[in-house]
Amino acid sequence: MTAVEQARAFFAADPSPRASWRMAVLMGRNSRTYKFALGHALLQLAGQGHAEVSLADLAVPYALGLAERAADAPQAPDGSAGGTTDFLTVLGRTGAQSLRLGHPTEELLAAAVRSLPAMVMRKFHNLSGDALGHRFYELGPGTGGGRTVRFTDALRSIAGSEQAPGLSTELGARWRIVENSFDTGIGRSLIADGLSVDGTTLYLTDRRRRRPLAHLTPAVIGFQHHRCLICDDVLVPGAPVQVDHVFPRALMTRYGALRPWPGPDLDLLWNLAPAHEACNGAKSDRMPKDTELMRLARRNAAIMNSPHPLRRTLELQMRTTHGHARPDGWPPFLHAVRALLT
């Protein structure tokens, strides 16, 4: 499948506004972090009950969110800022002052109002050359901060739903991973080596520096449509969630009692999936069912259609065992692992 076909398959599994939102946040390209800031602002304002706001009102949480994040991490690759009026340049000049004030400076707000329609708002609804299934806002005609931004029913439905906190957490986890991919030192190691999983904390970690980036569950649960991999029911916010080893980790120990385990490392991302605590406890160390392998293959294919470094992590894991790394290679990969045990 092409990337566009894979994206359509992800949407077909749950043709809802939530799926469109996740495609924009989790699977779109990231040359800067602007779409995360826009997503944050949209969820915040629509969640407050607004049906429409002015462009200037939207620019306030957008710019302030970027100022807060830029204080701790890069929001674009080194050297990507433009001239003196480029938004990143203005952010670097005025971000600290904006944080002290508690609102964007006039200069930063003006830069956000100027750049939002010309950049991220034009691209948010597009994915790999294909349009999302839903739109979340419409920008009215005119110029300047007084232009109207109308929130669609799709946005208002997800911002007012019980899953809104989860969507916000997923966005934050993805934002953090992308920020680290822009860090000159860390980013190079992530692209070269991918991410590992700390077995104790379940944080996705830079392999080379052992630096935790984001907790595994919010970083990947959106690729499962926030569903339990075992029963396929929604993981309700606040319900206990555990990370399941789809192929039980105990297999490596049992096999190793006779001879070295010949399969891939079962402690890596490809084999780990959020699940209900009760489902995971009942599953225990049994082998995965065909339906669970199908869901895992679909989840891993979706991750491989996201940008670095999550994609790179799965590419490396598949290539080590399979000799190639394609999103449609997960079903034979998983069946080959199961064949080791039959």
Side-chain angles (χ1 to χ4, degrees), residues 19-43:
S20 292
W21 180 267
R22 287 185 168 118
M23 289 167 71
V25 170
L26 302 176
M27 302 170 77
R29 295 175 182 171
N30 305 299
S31 59
R32 300 184 177 191
T33 62
Y34 293 169
K35 74 174 180 185
F36 304 119
L38 176 58
H40 163 76
L42 291 171
L43 285 179

Side-chain angles (χ1 to χ4, degrees), residues 206-234:
D206 169 26
R207 289 179 185 273
R208 195 170 300 176
R209 300 189 180 188
R210 298 297 176 187
R211 172 174 168 171
L213 305 185
H215 195 274
L216 184 145
T217 295
V220 305
I221 199 169
F223 295 103
Q224 298 176 198
H225 296 283
H226 215 91
R227 291 179 176 274
C228 172
L229 191 103
I230 298 171
C231 74
D232 202 36
D233 284 343
V234 172

Side-chain angles (χ1 to χ4, degrees), residues 160-225:
S161 72
E162 66 175 7
Q163 288 201 29
L167 292 173
S168 181
T169 302
E170 291 170 24
L171 184 151
R174 186 66 187 169
W175 197 339
R176 180 62 64 192
I177 290 172
V178 171
E179 286 172 338
N180 281 275
S181 74
F182 291 154
D183 184 299
T184 302
I186 297 174
R188 288 174 184 162
S189 66
L190 295 183
I191 292 173
D193 302 329
L195 299 169
S196 60
V197 179
D198 185 301
T200 302
T201 65
L202 290 177
Y203 265 74
L204 293 165
T205 303
D206 169 26
R207 289 179 185 273
R208 195 170 300 176
R209 300 189 180 188
R210 298 297 176 187
R211 172 174 168 171
L213 305 185
H215 195 274
L216 184 145
T217 295
V220 305
I221 199 169
F223 295 103
Q224 298 176 198
H225 296 283

Side-chain angles (χ1 to χ4, degrees), residues 262-292:
D265 190 338
L266 302 181
D267 280 327
L268 299 182
L269 175 60
W270 70 270
N271 188 49
L272 300 174
H276 290 115
E277 181 180 69
C279 292
N280 189 43
K283 177 176 177 283
S284 188
D285 287 341
R286 70 162 171 79
M287 290 290 289
K289 300 176 181 178
D290 287 343
T291 53
E292 293 162 359

